Each structure stands twice: as C-alpha cells, then as structure tokens.
C-alpha cells in the first residue's frame, strides 16, 4: 500500500513540475508579447507625431500661399488700372498725331501743286536734250562695238592665217582585235615615224598636229573648233579626212551617237556661236549632203518619193558666191537634232561596196556642207560655206583586190585623189593654172582650197605593220599638202 502511495505521490510531483515549467514558459511568452506590443505602440506613436508635424507644416504653407495669391490679385488689379490709364493716354496721343499727319499731307500736296508747273517746264526744256545726249552716247557705243566686232573678226582670221590657211593633222587609230604589230612610233609630240621591220626601212614626218591612238574625239575637235568661228565670220572652210580604207576616217568624221565625230560637234559649235552672237549678228544656216561616186554627184537629201529616172543629173556651175550645184537639196537647220536627222537620212543613201581592205568600205566621197548667210553689226553680209569631207579609201588598185565595177570605182577614187594632190601642188608652186576641173571633187571644193579659205586635212593612219606601204603613201601625200603656202586674196563683205 505504501508503494502505491509513493508512486502516486511521485506522479503528482512530476505533473506539478511540468505545470510549473509551462507556467514559466507562458510568463516568458507574455513578457515578450508585452515588449513587442510596447515597441509597436512606440513606433505607431512616432509615425503619428510625424503625421501631425507634416499636417501642421502643410497648414502653414497653405496659409502662406493664400496670402501670396491675395497679394498677386491685388497687384494684378493695380496693373490693370495702370494699363488702362496708359492706353487712354496713348489713344489721345495717336489722335493728335493723326491730326498732325493730315496737316503735313495737306501741306505737301499744296507744295507739289506749286512745283508741278515748274517741273513740267524744266522737263519740256531739258528732256529732249537729255534724250539726244543719251542717244548720241548709245550711238557712240554702238559704233565702237561694230569696230570691235570687225577687229575681232580680222584678228581671229590673222591667228588662223598664222597657223596656216591649210594645215595637216595626223591621227593614228588604235590596233584592232586580231592586229598584233604596229609600224608606227612618235619620236616627238608632232612627229610620226613608220618602220618596216622586214626591210629595215623607216621614215619620219612632222605635221601641224599628230594625234596618237589614245586621243579622244573631243581632243581632236578642240583643234578644229577655231575653224568653225572662221566660217561664222564669213570665210570658206574645208575639212577632209584622207587615208586608206579602214584607217578610221568615218569614225573621226561621223563617230557614234554616244561619242560623235567632227560632223555633229561642228554643228553644235556653229549653233553655240550663233546663240552667243544673237541680237548682233543675223544668221541663216542650211545644209546639203552629197556623194561623189564614179565622178558623178548624187544628192543624198533628195526627196525619196521622186523616182531615180526622174531626178535631174547634177553638175557644178560657177556663181557670184563661188561654185555651186543647181537643183541640189538644201535644208534649213535650226538645231543639232535637225542636223542629225539629215545625217541619218543621207548616210542611208550612201553607196557601199566590199573590198579586201574593208568589207564595208565606202566607195564614194561624202561631202556634208553647211552654208552660212550672215549679216554683221556693221551691215555687211557674207555667204560662206563649210565642207566636211569623208574621202573614199586611198588604197592602190592592186592592193584593194577590186575587180569589175569595184575596179572602176577604185580608178575614179584614185583619179580624184590624184587631182586633189595636183591642185595642192600647183598652189604650192604658185602655178598660174590650177587644175581644179580635173575632177568633180576638186572643182566642187575650189573655193575652199585656195585664197583666204581655211583648209584642214585630217590624215588617218592605219598602224598595222602589214599596211606599211599604204601608210607610207598616205603620209607622203599628206607631207605634200603640208608644204603648201596659200596666197591670201582680199575678201570683203557683199
């Protein structure tokens, strides 16, 4: 029984100890909870004080802003009262100034009325004198201008004569595809030398200008352009391309649409000079285009609707302004585009054949001519012509390999070229008789091959070594031309 009692007593003590422990734990938790509660209360009180202070500050700023707004309103009202007062003063002043302006205007009008008779009297007395003086001054300037214009014409002509009324330029085309060796070299700027490697033969010539194979169309024309001015000044001009077939004559003269030759560049320069002199000089330009085939003249601009059998046979006649061809078609041209139309139309009608030298060899001389009718500021009139000539190939008959009709063509071509050389030689030797009539070509170009006319020969050279003999013949012919010293005959306006 004591054992059970002791056991029960032990359990009670243990339970009491556990309760005491729980009590202590609960007290500790309560104490901690009180501390946390107090900390939160302190934190909330701090924030509450901050809010109270902020509210107090806002009330203070609101009061200050209310006072400032009140002051601004009072100041604005005062400004408005001042502005209204100033506006009233200004209106009063403007009214007075208007009255003053009206008074001044009335006074000025009265003064003008008084002066009008005086001014009219002065004008009636002195204006005719002033106009007469002005007209006299204008006339003096006009006379000076006419003298200067005539002097410019004479000086330009003098420069061209110093360069030579007949001059020879040489242009060497580049090697083409399939052409390997060149027989041409250039010892100096205006020298050309050809060498035959097989025979060791070589020879050098000097001309007025030598264009090497890299020369552009534009560079060639720059040396020609001064002759355009001569034509516009009333002097006859002839530019002809000479050389064997395939040497580049047609390229130099016609060129392409993208890179035009002497033909189109010449006409563009003509129209440029005409535009620059507009108002002082009066011009009318007409062009014709012919070919000389087997020594007969063919009009390339003739109306295509006229049958060949009904066309008149053309021949050269002498007239007051030089040799001419009756019934030849002349078209008035006003711009470069019109000239291009004429070129296109005429070129399609040109005779073309085939030879060993060039499968599309031109078998005739092509002559594009422009006639310039000019009236100068002095009242003088001139009628001048510029002939642009693409000569047929100059190769010898044996070299060309032509037979039949082609051989006949070659004989006529060579005859006319020989006549050209004879004419130039006769002038060089100052022979009393110059055989212009020996060929249709020289007879037609008679006025451009003598006197004060300007003649330019553009020798086209084929550089291929196999063309050495023909190239040598061409250079010798050009050297013969280059030796000519033209006599200058006096020539004035009509």
């Amino acid at each position: 029984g004591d054992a059970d009692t002791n056991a029960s007593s032990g359990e009670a003590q243990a339970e009491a100890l556990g309760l005491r422990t729980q009590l202590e734990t609960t007290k500790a938790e309560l104490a901690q909870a009180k501390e946390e509660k107090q900390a939160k209360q302190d934190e909330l009180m701090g924030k509450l004080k901050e809010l109270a202070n902020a509210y107090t500050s806002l009330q203070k700023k609101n009061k200050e802003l209310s006072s400032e707004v009140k002051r601004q309103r009072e100041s604005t009202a005062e400004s408005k009262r001042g502005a209204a007062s100033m506006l009233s003063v200004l209106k009063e002043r403007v009214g007075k100034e208007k009255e003053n302006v009206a008074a001044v205007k009335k006074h000025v009008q009265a003064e003008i009325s008084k002066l009008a008779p005086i001014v009219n009297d002065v004008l009636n007395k002195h204006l005719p004198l002033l106009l007469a003086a002005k007209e006299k001054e204008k006339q003096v300037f006009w006379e000076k201008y006419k003298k200067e214009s005539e002097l410019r014409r004479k000086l330009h002509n003098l420069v061209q004569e110093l360069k030579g009324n007949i001059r020879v330029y040489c242009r060497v085309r580049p090697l083409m595809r399939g052409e390997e060796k060149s027989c041409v070299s250039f010892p100096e700027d205006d020298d050309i030398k050809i060498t035959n490697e097989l025979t060791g033969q070589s020879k050098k010539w000097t001309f007025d200008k030598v264009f090497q194979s890299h020369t552009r169309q534009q560079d060639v024309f720059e040396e020609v352009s001064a002759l355009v001015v001569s034509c516009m000044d009333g002097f006859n001009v002839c530019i002809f391309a000479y050389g064997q077939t395939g040497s580049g004559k047609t390229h130099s003269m016609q060129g392409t649409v993208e890179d035009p030759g002497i033909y189109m560049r010449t006409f563009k320069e003509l129209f440029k000079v005409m535009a620059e002199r507009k108002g002082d000089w009066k011009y009318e330009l007409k062009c014709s285009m012919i070919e000389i085939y087997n020594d007969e003249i063919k009009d390339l601009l003739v109306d295509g609707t006229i049958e060949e059998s009904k066309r008149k046979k053309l021949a050269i006649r002498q007239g007051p302004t030089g040799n001419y061809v009756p019934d030849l078609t002349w078209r008035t041209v006003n711009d470069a585009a019109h000239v291009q139309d004429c070129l296109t139309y005429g070129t399609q009608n040109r005779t073309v054949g085939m030879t060993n030298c060039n499968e599309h060899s031109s078998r005739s001389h092509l002559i594009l001519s422009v006639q310039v009718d000019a009236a100068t500021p002095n009242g003088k009139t001139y009628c001048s012509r510029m002939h642009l000539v693409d000569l047929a190939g100059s190769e010898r008959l044996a070299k060309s390999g032509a037979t039949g009709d082609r051989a006949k063509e070659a004989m006529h071509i060579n005859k006319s070229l020989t006549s050209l050389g004879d004419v130039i030689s006769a002038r060089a030797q100052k022979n009393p008789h110059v055989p212009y009539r020996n060929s249709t070509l020289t007879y037609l170009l008679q006025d451009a091959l003598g006197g004060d006319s300007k003649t330019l020969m553009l020798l086209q050279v084929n550089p291929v070594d196999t063309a050495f003999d023909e190239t040598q013949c061409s250079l010798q012919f050009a050297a013969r031309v280059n030796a000519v010293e033209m006599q200058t005959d006096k020539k004035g306006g009509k």
Side-chain angles (χ1 to χ4, degrees):
D2 293 334
D4 294 333
T5 302
N6 289 335
S8 299
S9 175
E11 292 176 356
Q13 290 178 352
E15 184 177 355
L17 182 61
L19 291 173
R20 191 179 296 114
T21 301
Q22 290 180 359
L23 180 62
E24 292 296 330
T25 301
T26 301
K27 285 181 179 181
E29 290 177 352
L30 287 173
Q32 184 177 356
K34 286 181 180 180
E35 290 177 0
E36 291 177 356
K37 180 180 179 182
Q38 187 63 40
K40 287 183 178 180
Q41 286 179 346
D42 293 343
E43 182 181 354
L44 290 173
M45 288 301 293
K47 290 182 178 180
L48 186 61
K49 288 180 181 180
E50 289 178 2
L51 289 174
N53 291 335
Y55 178 73
T56 302
S57 177
L58 286 173
Q59 282 185 325
K60 183 178 179 181
K61 288 183 178 180
N62 185 43
K63 186 175 181 181
E64 291 175 352
L65 288 173
S66 297
S67 299
E68 181 64 24
V69 169
K70 184 178 180 181
R71 284 196 299 273
Q72 291 291 340
R73 285 177 178 174
E74 292 174 353
S75 175
T76 300
E78 184 66 25
S79 297
K80 286 182 178 180
R81 288 192 293 271
S85 176
M86 185 178 294
L87 182 60
S88 177
V89 172
L90 287 174
K91 285 182 177 180
E92 184 179 354
R93 288 182 180 177
V94 168
K96 290 181 179 180
E97 291 299 328
K98 284 183 177 180
E99 293 175 359
N100 291 337
V101 169
V104 171
K105 183 177 180 181
K106 185 177 180 181
H107 177 71
V108 169
Q109 289 175 341
E111 292 296 323
I112 290 175
S113 299
K114 293 178 182 178
L115 289 174
I118 299 173
V119 172
N120 289 334
D121 184 58
V122 171
L123 288 176
N124 291 332
K125 288 181 178 180
H126 298 287
L127 185 59
L129 297 175
L130 292 173
L131 290 175
K134 191 66 178 177
E135 184 63 28
K136 184 177 181 180
E137 182 181 5
K138 178 182 176 182
Q139 190 64 29
V140 170
F141 277 115
W142 180 243
E143 291 298 326
K144 287 183 178 179
Y145 172 76
K146 290 193 293 185
K147 290 180 181 179
E148 292 295 330
S149 178
E150 183 64 22
L151 179 61
R152 181 211 58 76
R153 177 179 179 272
K154 291 179 179 179
L155 290 176
H156 179 80
N157 186 52
L158 177 61
V159 170
Q160 299 312 307
E161 287 182 348
L162 290 173
K163 288 184 176 181
N165 272 349
I166 185 166
R167 61 195 78 162
V168 177
Y169 293 166
C170 176
R171 186 181 191 185
V172 181
R173 71 159 174 82
L175 289 172
M176 310 300 286
R177 182 179 299 178
E179 298 175 345
E180 298 180 357
K181 292 184 179 181
S182 171
C183 64
V184 175
S185 60
F186 308 95
E188 301 291 341
D189 286 344
D190 293 322
D191 290 349
I192 180 171
K193 181 180 180 181
I194 60 172
T195 302
N196 188 329
E197 293 184 355
L198 295 177
T199 64
Q201 182 182 3
S202 67
K203 191 170 182 179
K204 184 182 78 171
W205 291 266
T206 300
F207 296 106
D208 296 301
K209 192 74 179 177
V210 174
F211 300 107
Q212 299 184 24
S213 57
H214 56 77
T215 306
R216 302 174 302 169
Q217 300 276 63
Q218 176 184 346
D219 299 327
V220 174
F221 184 73
E222 284 177 0
E223 297 292 334
V224 176
S225 59
L227 296 180
V228 175
V229 178
S230 292
C231 181
M232 298 296 275
D233 282 346
F235 296 95
N236 289 329
V237 175
C238 180
I239 301 173
F240 60 92
Y242 177 90
Q244 67 187 95
T245 300
S247 58
K249 299 187 301 298
T250 301
H251 174 73
S252 290
M253 298 303 286
Q254 295 187 28
T256 62
V257 175
E258 297 76 17
D259 190 19
I262 290 175
Y263 286 165
M264 284 306 300
R265 292 179 188 270
T266 293
F267 275 92
K268 286 182 180 179
E269 188 70 14
L270 285 170
F271 291 119
K272 176 185 174 184
V273 174
M274 188 167 66
E276 290 172 350
R277 298 181 182 181
K278 186 178 182 181
D280 301 326
W281 290 63
K282 306 298 181 184
Y283 286 107
E284 182 182 0
L285 271 62
K286 295 182 290 186
C287 80
S288 69
M289 192 172 181
I290 67 173
E291 72 170 349
I292 300 177
Y293 177 66
N294 287 349
D295 226 29
E296 294 183 355
I297 298 173
K298 180 180 178 181
D299 186 351
L300 297 181
L301 297 183
V302 70
D303 186 352
T305 61
I306 302 176
E307 295 181 11
E308 187 77 30
S309 59
K310 295 181 180 180
R311 296 177 186 175
K312 294 182 179 180
K313 185 175 182 179
L314 301 178
I316 302 169
R317 297 287 183 268
Q318 288 185 326
T321 59
N323 292 354
Y324 73 104
V325 179
D327 302 315
L328 180 65
T329 303
W330 287 90
R331 293 188 181 181
T332 300
V333 288
N334 299 311
D335 54 45
H338 195 181
V339 176
Q340 184 61 60
D341 291 341
C342 293
L343 272 173
T344 302
Y345 182 84
T347 302
Q348 291 173 351
N349 295 326
R350 191 177 182 189
T351 302
V352 174
M354 297 180 65
T355 72
N356 292 345
C357 297
N358 189 325
E359 64 179 359
H360 297 295
S361 170
S362 295
R363 308 310 304 146
S364 61
H365 307 304
L366 176 66
I367 304 177
L368 176 65
S369 301
V370 55
Q371 178 171 301
V372 179
D373 293 304
T376 73
N378 292 326
K380 292 182 179 180
T381 59
Y382 295 98
C383 179
S384 57
R385 289 184 181 178
M386 173 177 274
H387 302 291
L388 305 175
V389 187
D390 182 4
L391 294 171
S394 63
E395 60 274 359
R396 293 164 295 174
L397 184 60
K399 176 67 175 178
S400 69
T403 58
D405 289 340
R406 297 290 86 87
K408 180 181 176 182
E409 293 168 356
M411 285 189 291
H412 279 289
I413 291 168
N414 291 334
K415 176 188 172 185
S416 62
L417 295 178
T418 299
S419 297
L420 181 62
D422 292 341
V423 165
I424 295 172
S425 178
R427 290 207 56 85
Q429 297 171 17
K430 298 180 174 59
N431 290 344
H433 172 68
V434 180
Y436 291 112
R437 290 177 176 266
N438 282 5
S439 76
T440 301
L441 174 67
T442 53
Y443 193 31
L444 181 64
L445 299 179
Q446 177 176 345
D447 299 313
L449 294 175
D452 57 6
S453 299
K454 319 300 173 193
T455 303
L456 169 65
M457 172 181 171
L458 180 61
L459 170 65
Q460 290 288 152
V461 172
N462 182 350
V464 183
D465 58 348
T466 56
F468 176 87
D469 291 338
E470 292 299 319
T471 298
Q472 181 174 241
C473 289
S474 297
L475 288 165
Q476 288 172 342
F477 180 88
R480 185 182 180 191
V481 174
N482 203 36
V484 174
E485 180 182 354
M486 280 191 171
Q487 284 184 319
T488 301
D489 303 323
K490 294 295 182 181
K491 178 178 179 180
K494 294 185 290 184

